[in-house]
Amino acid sequence: MVYLTRVENFNAAHRLWVNEWSEEKNFEVFGKCANKNFHGHNYKLLITVKGMPDPFTGFVMNAKELGDIIKQEITEVLDHTNLNMDDNFLPEGIQATSENLVIYIWKQLVPHLNNCALHSVRLYETEKIYAEYFGETMNEF
Amino acid sequence: MVYLTRVENFNAAHRLWVNEWSEEKNFEVFGKCANKNFHGHNYKLLITVKGMPDPFTGFVMNAKELGDIIKQEITEVLDHTNLNMDDNFLPEGIQATSENLVIYIWKQLVPHLNNCALHSVRLYETEKIYAEYFGETMNEF
Amino acid sequence: MVYLTRVENFNAAHRLWVNEWSEEKNFEVFGKCANKNFHGHNYKLLITVKGMPDPFTGFVMNAKELGDIIKQEITEVLDHTNLNMDDNFLPEGIQATSENLVIYIWKQLVPHLNNCALHSVRLYETEKIYAEYFGETMNEF
Amino acid sequence: MVYLTRVENFNAAHRLWVNEWSEEKNFEVFGKCANKNFHGHNYKLLITVKGMPDPFTGFVMNAKELGDIIKQEITEVLDHTNLNMDDNFLPEGIQATSENLVIYIWKQLVPHLNNCALHSVRLYETEKIYAEYFGETMNEF
Amino acid sequence: MVYLTRVENFNAAHRLWVNEWSEEKNFEVFGKCANKNFHGHNYKLLITVKGMPDPFTGFVMNAKELGDIIKQEITEVLDHTNLNMDDNFLPEGIQATSENLVIYIWKQLVPHLNNCALHSVRLYETEKIYAEYFGETMNEF
Amino acid sequence: MVYLTRVENFNAAHRLWVNEWSEEKNFEVFGKCANKNFHGHNYKLLITVKGMPDPFTGFVMNAKELGDIIKQEITEVLDHTNLNMDDNFLPEGIQATSENLVIYIWKQLVPHLNNCALHSVRLYETEKIYAEYFGETMNEF
């Protein structure tokens, strides 16, 4: 079993805000991440797949093909968007945190990976904060 | 003459859009940077000052003091804001490009640097694109 | 289960030296790390916690709160200190290696993380060497 | 149990090509990686070992000794070579992909690590693509 | 005057060898860079242009357009090639050193930059070695 | 004229302290950098030389030779030392700031560079702070 990781990037705006909460509580919990006109990040995404290297190609998966799937399903959908306002793949009412994004990116990618297994989705929000998801059990959305 | 550089960061949303132009022309020129709901970046800012090292401290400028000035005048003003919508320091009608931002950051910092000269302002919009300004002559805004 | 990682930094001096050994043996084992007047590093610390994202906030843990705990319990204690001489949290006679530091940082952080589990402590001593600890069984100190 | 990682580098040329396939099929699968005169990479190698820190030295393994083994067994063998043409350690007919290289590097290192266990071999081909191997079951070569 | 920099990458094989010299002298001067079957690098290229930001767009030059020119004229020509053997743009007998490459990249780009001036070409051969050229007088090739 | 840069590293302890000042004033000016038992850094050093590429080798200077000079004259002298206490090359009473270090490194290197000119010495104290010196006029030491 060998793991292959590919890095891609997208740039997006977002804001953290719970509609059911007062403005005061939102700022208490989210600080300046609750600012009303959004802020943004250069997101860096690491997708890891795993499998046996093919005896002919030596590939767990063709890295170019993996890049194409990530771009088509994820980064071209999210790049240069507003994660709260634009009609991209986060369901209504789900905060655009890195923690929720890695779960959704996982769900989005799985159906497109036929010959090898998805191992992890890691998303850097900044160079100092990242979330990672390995497909382990979670809350139902 | 020795040069001292300090790096700081801020995260902001922006959008490129010329009001006088049609939607078609805006997208032709700016591509997805013109998307209406903004996108965002982790901006990385490098401020370089120059001067003679003080014979007692060995400092061109106290790096902590330089950091405090950058934070107070620039990064705390711009961090977690929308460069188009929030009332931060870009004049009305000036595009929030990295090229314009470095000029404004220069103008904002100069009055606060008394004992040594500002040499350059460099701003990374992404890891692959940055603008830099050395105070050379420019268009009047 | 989602994993959230936060990066913090501290700068410290240290030296590797076993009191029970001769100077010759110390230099044989530790090389220039045994130099008597210490040397130092820019340590980079990655703390990973894990849990279910909260349905309201989308947070495994508030990254700002995690940063505050790391700073208060670890980096403000160790930053700009001498890991051998200063009264920080390493017990007498325990070498200030990255391997020992990650165990102590783990022990120091666990009591302060109430709502989610500590998953790993990674410490870069240089860009080329790092230690990591996942709370697995170990020698008693 | 603590994990210790050391990073080393080597620069090499390679090409992906299956002799049993037509030129057309090689280019269809490998794209420009099949170009006949080779291309090359700055490979970055991360070797992770695990064990109990020694009560005297605080070392899982002496990082200098680990570096010496990696250099002697791996990077000095592969640095400034052609992974397809030179007589380095990949068997005839095995593609010089990162996936295959991590398996061979694992096999090469294991006999030289006596006092602690090899945990993983990670190889960056570029900043955006890397393979990793943990010694899990695999095809027989 | 504002400076705008764009980063691009290419991967290539090369070898340093002077035909007029003996094998012994080649290895004495070039070391393992003279190995006969080539080695390779992940080259990182920084192109800096300068000019006045346009009053409408705020651009010294459209960064997307700059990227397209660099890709078309340089990185797509050099990527996944052998700098010695393939018919890319280095003249016969000119060593494929970073120093010579930056001069040739400069010459190749200048005719394609109409509205703003080329300021510098920087080429990283590895993370530890780079060459840079500002168009200053040089030997005639 | 082409510029060639080489990066090297060293790890050292230091402390900022003016003997003529009170403890109170030292802490007021230097903050925790004045802590009595030192702290330390992973210093990253960039040396840039300039000249015409040699028509045979394509080198401004052999990068291996440049690396050997930097190691012999600078990094092997300073690595794993205490910049205040050890007998390395800073004169008595000169603060071990990055600003003073770049001047001394410049003076130390110049006599060893015969065939090309030293252009700049850049020293990163952390990833966020660096000093740079171009040999411009300065205070006499």
Side-chain angles (χ1 to χ4, degrees), chain C residues 3-127:
Chain C
Y3 298 74
L4 177 74
T5 300
R6 178 141 194 149
V7 183
E8 297 293 341
N9 303 278
F10 63 93
N11 310 320
H14 81 149
R15 174 203 194 193
L16 301 180
W17 189 267
V18 173
N19 286 328
E20 293 81 354
W21 290 354
S22 68
E23 183 167 335
E24 193 184 14
K25 180 157 185 198
N26 270 291
F27 277 99
E28 186 193 315
V29 173
F30 295 124
K32 57 190 172 181
C33 294
N35 284 348
K36 76 163 183 256
N37 292 325
F38 314 102
H39 61 280
H41 296 294
N42 299 330
Y43 288 96
K44 183 169 139 185
L45 178 63
L46 281 79
I47 302 299
T48 302
V49 296
K50 61 184 168 188
M52 300 293 188
D54 179 272
F56 281 98
T57 63
F59 285 159
V60 163
M61 179 178 177
N62 191 321
K64 177 164 183 335
E65 191 192 339
L66 177 57
D68 289 346
I69 292 170
I70 302 170
K71 277 172 209 143
Q72 187 182 305
E73 302 303 323
I74 311 295
T75 59
E76 285 184 10
V77 177
L78 297 180
D79 191 32
H80 282 68
T81 68
N82 184 312
L83 299 173
N84 300 73
M85 295 178 75
D86 286 318
D87 185 24
N88 39 47
F89 59 72
L90 276 185
E92 187 67 26
I94 297 297
Q95 295 295 324
T97 59
S98 295
E99 289 97 319
N100 281 337
L101 282 163
V102 290
I103 296 173
Y104 279 96
I105 290 168
W106 177 283
K107 289 182 178 174
Q108 213 71 14
L109 282 179
V110 160
H112 300 278
L113 295 168
N114 300 313
N115 302 316
C116 67
L118 183 56
H119 173 68
S120 65
V121 172
R122 181 186 289 195
L123 184 67
Y124 285 83
E125 185 174 308
T126 69
E127 288 181 7

Side-chain angles (χ1 to χ4, degrees), chain D residues 48-127:
Chain D
T48 302
V49 296
K50 61 185 169 187
M52 301 294 189
D54 180 272
F56 281 97
T57 62
F59 285 159
V60 162
M61 178 178 178
N62 192 320
K64 179 169 182 332
E65 190 192 338
L66 177 57
D68 289 345
I69 292 170
I70 302 171
K71 278 173 209 141
Q72 187 183 305
E73 302 303 324
I74 311 294
T75 58
E76 285 185 10
V77 177
L78 297 180
D79 191 31
H80 282 68
T81 68
N82 184 311
L83 300 174
N84 300 74
M85 294 177 74
D86 285 319
D87 186 23
N88 39 49
F89 58 71
L90 275 184
E92 187 66 27
I94 297 297
Q95 297 294 325
T97 58
S98 295
E99 290 98 318
N100 281 337
L101 283 164
V102 291
I103 296 173
Y104 279 96
I105 291 167
W106 177 283
K107 290 183 177 172
Q108 213 71 13
L109 283 178
V110 160
H112 300 277
L113 296 168
N114 301 313
N115 301 317
C116 67
L118 183 56
H119 173 68
S120 65
V121 172
R122 181 186 289 195
L123 184 67
Y124 284 82
E125 187 174 306
T126 68
E127 288 182 7

Side-chain angles (χ1 to χ4, degrees), chain F residues 56-121:
Chain F
F56 280 98
T57 63
F59 285 159
V60 162
M61 178 177 178
N62 192 320
K64 178 166 183 334
E65 189 193 339
L66 177 57
D68 289 346
I69 292 171
I70 302 171
K71 277 172 210 142
Q72 187 182 307
E73 302 303 323
I74 311 293
T75 59
E76 285 185 10
V77 177
L78 297 180
D79 191 32
H80 282 68
T81 68
N82 184 311
L83 299 174
N84 299 74
M85 294 178 74
D86 286 319
D87 186 23
N88 40 47
F89 60 71
L90 275 185
E92 186 68 26
I94 297 297
Q95 296 294 325
T97 58
S98 295
E99 290 98 318
N100 281 337
L101 283 164
V102 289
I103 296 173
Y104 279 96
I105 290 167
W106 177 282
K107 289 182 178 175
Q108 213 71 14
L109 282 178
V110 161
H112 300 277
L113 296 168
N114 301 313
N115 302 315
C116 68
L118 183 56
H119 173 68
S120 65
V121 172

Side-chain angles (χ1 to χ4, degrees), chain B residues 10-39:
Chain B
F10 63 94
N11 311 319
H14 82 147
R15 174 205 194 190
L16 301 181
W17 189 267
V18 174
N19 286 327
E20 291 81 353
W21 291 353
S22 68
E23 184 167 334
E24 192 183 15
K25 180 157 186 199
N26 270 291
F27 277 99
E28 186 194 315
V29 173
F30 295 124
K32 57 191 175 182
C33 294
N35 283 348
K36 76 166 184 251
N37 291 326
F38 314 102
H39 61 281

